């Protein structure tokens, strides 16, 4: 009856508090601090792990790679001058933007283990973003305008301006922009035109903003949409035809005047020396001296 009573009490406490054995918790799972300042990452665990529980801290970067910060009772080499461990808590003396990421507190003891994750965000204001805007695009063609900032932490969101007008994220929701067909992604900063028109011509700039500082605007870039130059294409074709006609006439005229090498072969001439018995004048076979003979 006594044991049954203890079990009932334990179940009652668990039902009310939601706390079970072998728990690892933190007082702040999302820590934010400015670059150059300190930061405390807390970790606590239940007594079930025992008095000699083992505590470790791991860092997981944006790519998913893991690195030990605190291991076997001491800070690892790369963190030795950067962090201090008091109890099971981890304190950064001074953070940089590279410290942004997820930290995992792992506790093991009595053949059990548990963990808790703490997200550390080092606040870095956005810088003036870099934009890539094509200078000219032909009517009806697709166009992509990009905007990005590598410095801001957390990653900034983006807005686009045409001339001095802020472009809404979804133009279909605003009557003044119902004729615009662009698509905007505020997370990656892309402004995409599936098929540009003359109305899209203008001066474009983008803005990056995060919670660490004021908005930052990019340089202004001119974007021009041009119609297809049909007259120029026709004129080019006509000029090409005229050049071909002139070339053909020139070749014909040069050939007629004999300026070009002829392929006709000259008739071969075979030299046949006069017979020693004479020709037509020596029908009798006698040798007769001619006046051209010289001794």
């Amino acid at each position: 009856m006594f044991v049954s009573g203890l079990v009932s009490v334990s179940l009652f406490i668990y039902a009310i508090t939601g706390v079970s054995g072998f728990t690892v918790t933190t007082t702040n799972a999302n820590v934010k601090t400015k670059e150059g300042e300190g930061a405390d990452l807390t970790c606590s665990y239940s007594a079930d792990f025992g008095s000699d529980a083992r505590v470790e801290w791991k860092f997981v970067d944006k790519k998913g790679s893991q690195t030990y910060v605190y291991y076997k009772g001491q800070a690892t080499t790369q963190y030795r001058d950067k962090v201090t461990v008091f109890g099971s808590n981890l304190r950064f003396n001074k953070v940089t933007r590279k410290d942004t990421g997820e930290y995992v507190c792992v506790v093991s003891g009595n053949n059990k283990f548990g963990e808790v994750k703490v997200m550390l965000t080092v606040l870095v204001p956005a810088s003036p973003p870099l934009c890539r805007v094509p200078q000219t695009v032909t009517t009806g063609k697709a166009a992509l305008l990009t905007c990005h900032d590598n410095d801001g932490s957390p990653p900034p969101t983006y807005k686009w301006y045409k001339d001095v007008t802020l472009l809404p994220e979804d133009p279909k929701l605003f009557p003044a922009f119902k004729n615009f067909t662009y698509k905007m992604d505020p997370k990656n900063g892309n402004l995409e035109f599936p098929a540009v028109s003359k109305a899209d011509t203008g001066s474009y700039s983008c803005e990056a903003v995060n919670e660490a500082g004021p908005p930052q605007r990019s340089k202004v870039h001119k974007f021009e949409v041009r119609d297809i130059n049909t007259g120029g294409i026709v004129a080019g074709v006509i000029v090409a035809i005229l050049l071909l006609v002139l070339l053909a006439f020139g070749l014909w005229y040069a050939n007629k005047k004999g300026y070009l090498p002829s392929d006709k072969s000259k008739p071969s001439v075979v030299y046949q020396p006069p017979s020693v018995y004479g020709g037509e004048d020596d029908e009798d076979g006698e040798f007769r001296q001619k006046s051209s003979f010289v001794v």
Side-chain angles (χ1 to χ4, degrees), residues 133-145 181-183 191-197 200 223-226:
V133 178
Q135 293 183 350
T136 58
V137 180
T138 304
T139 303
K141 298 293 185 179
L144 177 63
L145 285 63
T181 59
Y182 64 80
K183 297 178 182 179
L191 180 64
E192 183 179 359
F193 293 88
V196 295
S197 65
D200 296 322
F223 178 67
E224 183 179 3
V225 179
R226 296 179 179 177

Side-chain angles (χ1 to χ4, degrees), residues 34-38 93-96 122:
K34 293 182 180 180
E35 188 172 32
E37 296 184 356
N93 305 319
K94 184 183 293 185
V95 295
T96 67
V122 180

Side-chain angles (χ1 to χ4, degrees), residues 191-211:
L191 180 64
E192 183 179 359
F193 293 88
V196 295
S197 65
K198 296 283 287 184
D200 296 322
T201 295
S203 298
Y204 287 79
S205 62
C206 80
E207 184 178 80
V209 60
N210 65 5
E211 61 183 280

Side-chain angles (χ1 to χ4, degrees), residues 89-108:
N89 300 319
L90 184 69
R91 170 171 291 174
F92 278 86
N93 305 319
K94 184 183 293 185
V95 295
T96 67
R97 63 192 68 189
K98 293 182 179 180
D99 296 321
T100 294
E102 185 180 72
Y103 293 81
V104 185
C105 175
V106 182
V107 182
S108 58

Side-chain angles (χ1 to χ4, degrees), residues 176-246:
F177 295 88
K178 63 180 181 180
N179 294 327
F180 286 73
T181 59
Y182 64 80
K183 297 178 182 179
M184 185 188 303
D185 190 335
K187 293 183 179 180
N188 62 21
N190 288 348
L191 180 64
E192 183 179 359
F193 293 88
V196 295
S197 65
K198 296 283 287 184
D200 296 322
T201 295
S203 298
Y204 287 79
S205 62
C206 80
E207 184 178 80
V209 60
N210 65 5
E211 61 183 280
Q216 297 291 329
R217 186 80 67 90
S218 71
K219 295 181 180 179
V220 177
H221 299 267
K222 291 184 178 180
F223 178 67
E224 183 179 3
V225 179
R226 296 179 179 177
D227 291 328
I228 298 176
N229 189 1
T230 306
I233 295 175
V234 173
V237 172
I238 293 175
V239 170
I241 293 174
L242 290 175
L243 289 175
L244 290 175
V245 171
L246 290 174

